[in-house]
Amino acid sequence: MQKALVSIAIAASLGLGATAANAAILDDVKAKGYVQCGVTGGVPGFSAPDSNNVWTGLEVDYCRALAAAIFKDADAVRYTSLTSQERFTALSAGEIDVLSRTTTWTMSRDTQLGISFVGTMFYDGQGFMVRKEDGIESALDLSGAAICIESGTTTELNAADYFAANGMEFNTVVFVDQDEVVKAYEDGRCDVYTTDSSALAAERSKFANPADHVILPEIISKEPLGPVVRAGDTQWFNIARWTYFALLEAEELGVTSANVDEMLGSDNPAIKRLLGVEGEFGAPLGIDNDWAYQIIKLVGNYAESYERNVGPDTPIGLERGLNALWKDGGIQYAPPIR
Amino acid sequence: MTTIDTGRRLAPRASFFNDPVIRGIIYQIVVAVLLVSFIFWIIGNTAANLAAQNKTTGFDFLWRTAGFDISFSLLPWSRASYYWEAFLVGILNTLLVAVIGIFFATLLGFTIGIARLSTNFIVSRLATVYVELIRNIPLLLQLFFWYFAVLKAMPAVRDSIALPFDSFINQRGVMVPKPIPDEQFAIVWLGLLIAILGVFALRHWARKRLEATGQRFPVFLTSVAILVGIPALFFVVSGASVSFEVPELQRFNFKGGLQLPPEFVALAFGLTIYTASFIAETVRAGILSVNRGQTEAAQSLGLKEGDRLRLVIVPQAMRVIVPPLTSQYLNLTKNSSLGAAIGYPELVNVFSGTALNQTGRAIECIAMTMAVYLTLSLLTSAIMNWYNGRVRLVER
């Protein structure tokens, strides 16, 4: 009888322990000592490991900024490479703390998946890439073409919508992994490779002869790409969101990783608030008051990250366009820190 | 039962709690209650967590428009089809590749297995190399190899290889003319049905005659003649006709006709090659398990070589072959899910992949997919067990 009682007691305590495990994400992250960040398997400029296996890219910089804000150490990040099929499940299951992986903000994802979009790190749109030798000039000439697509993406739905709306026939070949999509296109299984136009440019930079491929002028969708967190933890959501805003705010105020230390002595109240010299903007987030200073010091502002990873001087070669700040003709805009 | 009896005899006047029977029952009840509450707790916990994350659940999404394309489908499919149709398309594509794979893997496996026992040194060595090489390389790797090897080997669309009868091979697959029977053609199907029944009757009659008189009748050749002859006769008499839809080169690819995409070819081929290597070993073990004395006994009865195999050796070998063969069939069916990696739209790719991601109903989609594989496995198992029961050695 005693044995039976003991097993009941163990089962009961297991049950209680499991239900009580609903602690805040920030506490978990602090206890672990690093941020677990979900990224792509490798899209140059956005998130890809370099030859030394160090992850770099615009989306990786966001993870680093988050780590800088919490730990004052931009390297306190561990990366999980995820396919587009796995990403939301990994986030819901708590395998990652934040998903920073070319993910499009859509209404159904925002409202039905139990996740929250932090903001739009990169305004993108879906495009088509074809072989130059095929002599195609417009996406409207693509009726009947075979199209390579990554499974479970908005891309898959947009392509079907676009072809149906224009009365064209379509013929898609769907792969789970982006590497297979690109390889099948290169091997000639498909006439067209379609995904977000930034990723097209990034993948083309990896081809043996990038000049043999052209990106068609049509952009057939809005693809606001941004980081995502689990829904329900307001504190963690706020940290994630204001990390992104701090990157923009720093660019707008002209604070860079190079001048951030002298900017500590600036007379501009907005800069003082951003860098934590004046006011108290860390405590409400549950982190230190110099969180934005750490981000800028260790990672840089949005412009620095953009130029370093995907800007015109990189192999990806993307102009700022919509991703310029609101005052420079783009639509990137951060609410004031005050 | 015996332990309980001994317990009683040793302690006939034990107190209520020390009575082994009572204790046994109590333990059983405790375990049952714990198990049931554990299951309820799992379900409740899942539901609570999903609700806390603001996730919508339920199967209502099955009646929503899917909005994506499926490249290869046995049922009519368009972007306006529903999710439940995507589920069916996935199941059928899985079944198609599984059935074809099982058929060819069995043929190839038996051939290789027998070849491995051949007295010809080169034949048996080649079979050994095949088995050892294929069996020890992960299937996923082989599928990638076959898929990209298939693609690389095939010419671009404009350089398609033209085959006789308006058929073509290129990077997008194999295209053959599609037969379109007219209304009278139903008569021919009726003819085929009659022919099949006729063959069964013939076999029955031939066996009876053999048992009664010892005279043999050429059943196989006659059956072939009946199967071809009767439908052909019906075809001519009814005046039915068949027209052909010929694949035609369009701007990007051939259109019309029947098309087999390279994803299907690579997956069916890869599964066949891989599973055949395991079946070959099973067959070899089965044949080796039959005692040499059985062959000698059959010889001394004066049976011919063919009859010796058909009536004495193979039936005994099948006893050993069938159970492991069943698990190879199950493996092949389950392994077809790796087709997702090379773009073949089978169940996992279409439903646990695209549909799950587009709807976010992870639990529902995975549960439905698991239910399908479970059903397929149990069905295969049931059929093979029935067959095993028939070929089993009847002991008297």
Side-chain angles (χ1 to χ4, degrees):
Chain A
M1 214 46 221
Q2 260 182 337
K3 269 187 196 161
L5 285 176
V6 170
S7 27
I8 293 171
I10 290 173
S13 59
L14 275 177
L16 286 176
T19 36
N22 254 339
I25 299 173
L26 179 64
D27 297 338
D28 287 351
V29 169
K30 279 182 173 165
K32 279 189 298 192
Y34 58 87
V35 176
Q36 191 76 44
C37 186
V39 293
T40 63
V43 176
F46 288 84
S47 54
D50 66 11
S51 52
N52 298 320
N53 207 25
V54 175
W55 286 81
T56 57
L58 193 65
E59 290 167 338
V60 166
D61 276 354
Y62 173 78
C63 303
R64 291 170 55 79
L66 205 52
I70 299 167
F71 297 111
K72 307 183 196 304
D73 174 9
D75 294 326
V77 187
R78 291 196 191 169
Y79 299 96
T80 307
S81 160
L82 297 167
T83 67
S84 43
Q85 276 197 6
E86 298 160 342
R87 56 188 163 178
F88 299 123
T89 327
L91 184 64
S92 297
E95 286 167 30
I96 53 174
D97 303 312
V98 61
L99 176 70
S100 184
R101 182 202 181 284
T102 53
T103 298
T104 305
W105 189 346
T106 69
M107 180 167 171
S108 61
R109 285 173 178 177
D110 211 3
T111 56
Q112 292 179 19
L113 294 184
I115 59 176
S116 297
F117 281 82
V118 165
T120 305
M121 279 288 281
F122 193 88
Y123 288 94
D124 209 339
Q126 183 176 342
F128 297 101
M129 179 155 67
V130 294
R131 273 177 283 276
K132 205 172 221 169
E133 59 184 21
D134 288 343
I136 298 157
E137 280 167 8
S138 158
L140 294 169
D141 297 338
L142 291 177
S143 187
I147 304 169
C148 281
I149 297 188
E150 196 178 349
S151 154
T153 52
T154 48
T155 314
E156 204 179 354
L157 302 177
N158 295 334
D161 279 359
Y162 182 77
F163 277 74
N166 289 294
M168 301 192 293
E169 285 184 32
F170 55 105
N171 197 345
T172 58
V173 189
V174 177
F175 296 88
V176 178
D177 211 328
Q178 188 162 350
D179 289 345
E180 270 75 61
V181 183
V182 177
K183 196 161 180 338
Y185 166 75
E186 270 193 292
D187 280 358
R189 173 65 183 92
C190 303
D191 304 296
V192 188
Y193 170 34
T194 181
T195 185
D196 300 342
S197 57
S198 62
L200 286 180
E203 290 295 347
R204 186 169 65 169
S205 71
K206 288 201 287 194
F207 286 170
N209 286 313
D212 291 348
H213 303 270
V214 284
I215 295 172
L216 298 177
E218 284 87 354
I219 297 293
I220 64 163
S221 68
K222 291 182 288 186
E223 305 288 336
L225 309 179
V228 195
V229 294
R230 271 193 296 291
D233 187 332
T234 315
Q235 183 190 40
W236 183 246
F237 177 67
N238 282 337
I239 294 171
R241 173 182 244 184
W242 284 94
T243 295
Y244 157 60
F245 287 147
L247 291 166
L248 292 179
E249 185 78 353
E251 181 187 356
E252 189 168 344
L253 295 172
V255 186
T256 67
S257 55
N259 68 13
V260 66
D261 285 318
E262 47 185 282
M263 282 293 188
L264 282 174
S266 165
D267 295 331
N268 184 337
I271 295 178
K272 282 182 165 175
R273 285 194 295 270
L274 174 69
L275 299 181
V277 178
E278 191 181 293
E280 182 57 72
F281 295 99
L285 295 177
I287 52 183
D288 289 340
N289 209 31
D290 67 343
W291 59 280
Y293 166 85
Q294 297 293 346
I295 292 175
I296 302 160
K297 176 77 182 166
L298 299 171
V299 182
N301 63 29
Y302 186 83
E304 287 178 79
S305 177
Y306 193 100
E307 297 305 328
R308 184 166 64 222
N309 295 307
V310 295
D313 296 336
T314 65
I316 321 291
L318 297 173
E319 297 294 335
R320 279 295 282 272
L322 280 181
N323 290 297
L325 290 182
W326 62 284
K327 56 173 193 164
D328 302 329
I331 56 175
Q332 285 288 8
Y333 185 99
I337 293 179
R338 66 178 318 129
Chain B
M1 285 313 279
T2 30
T3 42
I4 290 169
D5 286 343
T6 0
R8 260 196 180 154
R9 228 175 293 129
L10 287 176
R13 270 177 243 289
S15 77
F16 181 73
F17 279 114
N18 283 335
D19 186 324
V21 179
I22 306 271
R23 281 186 90 153
I25 291 171
I26 290 176
Y27 282 143
Q28 300 257 5
I29 291 172
V30 167
V31 169
V33 167
L34 278 179
L35 189 69
V36 169
S37 25
F38 181 68
I39 291 169
F40 268 96
W41 173 72
I42 288 265
I43 294 172
N45 191 38
T46 309
N49 277 328
L50 289 176
Q53 291 184 3
N54 217 0
K55 270 196 176 185
T56 40
T57 49
F59 289 94
D60 53 311
F61 73 96
L62 289 172
W63 284 270
R64 268 192 241 148
T65 304
F68 52 82
D69 182 40
I70 298 179
S71 60
F72 177 74
S73 147
L74 299 174
L75 297 172
W77 173 264
S78 76
R79 74 166 285 286
S81 301
Y82 298 108
Y83 276 106
W84 64 264
E85 292 178 275
F87 184 56
L88 281 190
V89 167
I91 294 177
L92 284 180
N93 282 348
T94 292
L95 278 179
L96 178 73
V97 83
V99 168
I100 289 183
I102 284 175
F103 178 76
F104 285 108
T106 309
L107 276 187
L108 185 64
F110 270 81
T111 314
I112 304 274
I114 292 167
R116 228 187 140 173
L117 293 171
S118 165
T119 43
N120 183 318
F121 180 79
I122 295 177
V123 169
S124 72
R125 266 318 105 106
L126 277 178
T128 309
V129 168
Y130 171 88
V131 168
E132 294 305 331
L133 190 72
I134 299 296
R135 214 167 48 145
N136 293 309
I137 299 173
L139 178 57
L140 185 61
L141 214 61
Q142 294 190 31
L143 288 180
F144 280 137
F145 174 78
W146 293 126
Y147 181 57
F148 289 109
V150 163
L151 280 187
K152 281 261 192 313
M154 294 205 194
V157 174
R158 274 170 210 84
D159 313 318
S160 295
I161 301 174
L163 301 174
F165 307 112
D166 288 316
S167 301
F168 301 91
I169 289 185
N170 64 34
Q171 277 175 323
R172 311 289 157 77
V174 181
M175 290 91 187
V176 295
K178 181 181 182 181
I180 302 175
D182 64 1
E183 281 171 16
Q184 264 97 5
F185 202 81
I187 302 266
V188 180
W189 291 120
L190 184 71
L192 187 66
L193 188 71
I194 292 172
I196 291 172
L197 291 176
V199 167
F200 273 106
L202 176 78
R203 276 186 49 174
H204 186 70
W205 170 81
R207 194 183 175 126
K208 279 262 149 94
R209 196 173 81 133
L210 178 70
E211 282 166 5
T213 66
Q215 281 178 303
R216 283 176 171 264
F217 186 81
V219 175
F220 182 75
L221 286 177
T222 324
S223 302
V224 171
I226 291 175
L227 283 178
V228 175
I230 293 185
L233 188 73
F234 275 60
F235 181 74
V236 174
V237 171
S238 69
S241 68
V242 177
S243 54
F244 284 94
E245 183 190 292
V246 175
E248 277 177 74
L249 184 58
Q250 307 267 319
R251 172 159 188 178
F252 289 104
N253 194 9
F254 286 89
K255 209 186 146 196
L258 283 177
Q259 307 205 351
L260 267 193
E263 289 79 26
F264 175 81
V265 176
L267 181 61
F269 191 71
L271 285 175
T272 300
I273 299 276
Y274 182 75
T275 313
S277 68
F278 289 89
I279 293 181
E281 285 298 88
T282 302
V283 168
R284 182 172 72 111
I287 292 176
L288 284 179
S289 76
V290 181
N291 197 309
R292 169 101 191 120
Q294 296 288 326
T295 312
E296 287 162 357
Q299 275 169 340
S300 60
L301 277 176
L303 288 178
K304 286 192 291 184
E305 167 88 43
D307 288 344
R308 212 155 63 214
L309 268 179
R310 197 164 58 86
L311 298 172
V312 178
I313 308 299
V314 171
Q316 297 186 69
M318 286 311 270
R319 279 186 309 144
V320 179
I321 293 174
V322 169
L325 192 63
T326 310
S327 65
Q328 289 313 323
Y329 288 174
L330 298 184
N331 282 344
L332 189 143
T333 310
K334 288 179 285 183
N335 283 340
S336 71
S337 59
L338 289 173
I342 57 168
Y344 177 70
E346 44 66 64
L347 186 63
V348 168
N349 195 1
V350 170
F351 206 67
S352 302
T354 299
L356 186 158
N357 267 275
Q358 302 301 1
T359 60
R361 306 289 170 87
I363 294 175
E364 291 86 345
C365 287
I366 297 287
M368 286 172 75
T369 308
M370 291 197 327
V372 169
Y373 283 105
L374 186 65
T375 312
L376 287 183
S377 292
L378 290 178
L379 269 181
T380 315
S381 222
I383 294 171
M384 294 299 278
N385 280 340
W386 169 80
Y387 179 72
N388 196 30
R390 282 193 39 154
V391 299
R392 193 175 54 204
L393 200 66
V394 184
E395 299 193 22
R396 279 180 254 262

